[in-house]
Amino acid sequence: MSVNERSAGRRVGRSMFGRGVHRGGRLIRDSHLRPADPPARRAAVLVLFLFSACSSHKPPADFAPDPAYIRGMRQIRITAGPQRVCPGGIISASYEAQLESGLWVPFARTYEKKRPPKLHVVFLRRISPDAMPHENGDWTASPDPSISAMHGFRLTAFMREIPSVQGFTTIEPDYSCMPHAFSFEGEPGPVGGSGANGPDVTVRLRYLKSPFYPKLLVAAIEVGAAPPFFVFGDANQIPPADWLIMDSRGGRGGRGAAGTKGQAGGDGAPGCPGGAGGAGGPGGPGGPGGAGGRGGRVTVIVPADQPLLAGLVEARSLGGLGGGGGAGGAGGAGGKGGAIQGSPGQQCQAGAAGAEGPKGQAGGEGPAGIPGPRAQILPVSRAEVFGARVSQALADLVSYTDGSPR
């Protein structure tokens, strides 16, 4: 089963990344390699760039802080941003150490062999239950919004040589850039066969609250037997309807079988002149494409006392596309011309080769699958909304909402 996420939020994320890369490339061209720059300046800049690239690299494996320099170190200060980060987003971070004198000294990210820094990020051990550290000091926030819902993204850094010297900071979660549209598709069909039906999709919706959001909309999405994944939203910012778009599409029909190759033409008889080779037979027609699978079932589960929450989901059960027709078979090869066979001194010619047979016709495209049933709305008690498969992170959020913190 493949998952294709389509959402404005996701597209924005990709386009922002693209602009960032493009912006970085444009900055280099504009500030250093403008066509108007004289050749001498361009050469100097190029030498400087190459020197910097060669002199700044990862520290050696045995690189360690000077014990005398870090003796009496008091604490680590983490400066991270932005102040609020979406699940899966990048957290930029810098680090400083307070020495015994009270002076704050930054940790370098780069290393120069001739001038090694006093402090470097490799001297830090960085851990978080909610984010993954990068070698350069930055972090990637966990993409699961339930992980950071109660505590945000907690970042800790401490000196490897002196674990008691540490720093801590928290970044608040932001759900405004989470995707809101998803399309799930059944498996494609075998050659000439029908595609599989779209998967069963269950959407569970309930208002909760967290230390960061007084009213938080939580959607747990289950596809087939896979564990649920989550979409969160600030209830004060979401539209009144069609906040989540769910497609369960049937699988595409299998491509039709390729046509068989035409029979080869017979060889011409020997003689003077040799006989012409026979024409190749036509290629066989391609098989028809398989039918698309039927659209899957979508179930929306909401609290019985808040049935209008179901209006936030636009559920679509779509038939799969028909498979493409098989390619027509290649035409058979023409027969060889007959060999020369005659008395000595005769002026004879070999027979002409036969023509290649025509290619077979392509098969027709298979029919599209039929739509599945309309979405089913299932009202239940609040305690039953998320079913039996509740993670500890979600259970903590529910307990916080219901007033019985664990």
Side-chain angles (χ1 to χ4, degrees):
M1 176 178 58
S2 60
V3 178
N4 176 28
E5 299 182 0
R6 307 191 314 269
S7 74
R10 188 63 175 264
R11 287 196 299 270
V12 169
R14 287 199 297 263
S15 63
M16 286 177 65
F17 178 78
R19 286 200 300 269
V21 171
H22 183 61
R23 184 165 60 243
R26 188 169 66 241
L27 178 61
I28 293 173
R29 289 195 299 269
D30 289 348
S31 61
H32 297 304
L33 302 179
R34 289 193 296 263
D37 287 342
R41 180 180 177 183
R42 291 201 301 272
V45 169
L46 180 59
V47 169
L48 179 61
F49 175 79
L50 293 176
F51 175 80
S52 299
C54 294
S55 62
S56 178
H57 49 77
K58 293 177 63 176
D62 60 351
F63 185 47
D66 183 347
Y69 188 75
I70 65 172
R71 187 178 296 118
M73 187 178 286
R74 297 176 178 176
Q75 60 179 317
I76 305 296
R77 181 165 62 193
I78 305 174
T79 303
Q83 294 182 348
R84 305 176 77 221
V85 175
C86 275
I90 299 297
I91 302 173
S92 298
S94 60
Y95 308 86
E96 298 171 284
Q98 189 180 36
L99 305 182
E100 189 174 20
S101 63
L103 181 67
W104 288 94
V105 179
F107 285 80
R109 290 173 177 251
T110 58
Y111 176 83
E112 294 185 17
K113 185 176 182 179
K114 293 183 178 181
R115 292 182 297 177
K118 291 288 188 180
L119 295 177
H120 194 281
V121 290
V122 297
F123 299 160
L124 295 172
R125 185 182 176 199
R126 296 174 297 119
I127 59 174
S128 170
D130 322 298
M132 178 71 67
H134 296 186
E135 285 188 0
N136 67 354
D138 292 343
W139 308 71
T140 296
S142 170
D144 183 351
S146 69
I147 296 297
S148 55
M150 286 294 296
H151 305 288
F153 302 103
R154 296 163 288 180
L155 313 178
T156 301
F158 55 87
M159 292 291 292
R160 294 182 181 274
E161 307 290 331
I162 315 174
S164 60
V165 177
Q166 58 184 264
F168 177 84
T169 192
T170 300
I171 304 295
E172 294 186 11
D174 176 20
Y175 307 122
S176 62
C177 57
M178 294 201 73
H180 297 155
F182 303 87
S183 182
F184 308 100
E185 187 173 354
E187 294 290 339
V191 175
S194 299
N197 293 340
D200 292 342
V201 179
T202 301
V203 183
R204 302 173 182 270
L205 290 169
R206 185 184 164 185
Y207 286 124
L208 299 176
K209 67 178 180 179
S210 77
F212 306 101
Y213 291 88
K215 191 174 183 181
L216 183 66
L217 180 61
V218 174
I221 302 168
E222 300 171 3
V223 184
F229 67 94
F230 300 92
V231 178
F232 284 13
D234 183 349
N236 296 319
Q237 301 294 328
I238 62 175
D242 301 338
W243 175 68
L244 268 182
I245 298 176
M246 289 288 152
D247 290 352
S248 180
R249 182 185 294 272
R252 182 163 192 159
R255 178 169 289 279
T260 57
K261 185 175 182 178
Q263 291 185 341
D267 294 342
C272 184
R294 180 180 61 84
R297 294 175 297 184
V298 180
T299 303
V300 182
I301 299 177
V302 295
D305 58 348
Q306 294 176 323
L308 295 181
L309 276 180
L312 296 175
V313 180
E314 180 184 352
R316 300 182 296 204
S317 178
L318 309 172
L321 300 174
K336 297 180 180 179
I340 297 173
Q341 189 178 74
S343 301
Q346 283 185 299
Q347 298 285 331
C348 296
Q349 293 180 338
E356 183 177 314
K359 182 178 180 178
Q361 291 186 340
E365 186 171 301
I370 60 174
R374 296 185 62 179
Q376 179 185 11
I377 310 301
L378 185 59
V380 298
S381 68
R382 292 191 180 191
E384 297 175 299
V385 167
F386 294 115
R389 294 194 294 181
V390 179
S391 65
Q392 185 61 54
L394 181 60
D396 291 343
L397 197 60
V398 171
S399 295
Y400 181 84
T401 301
D402 294 341
S404 54
R406 302 189 173 199

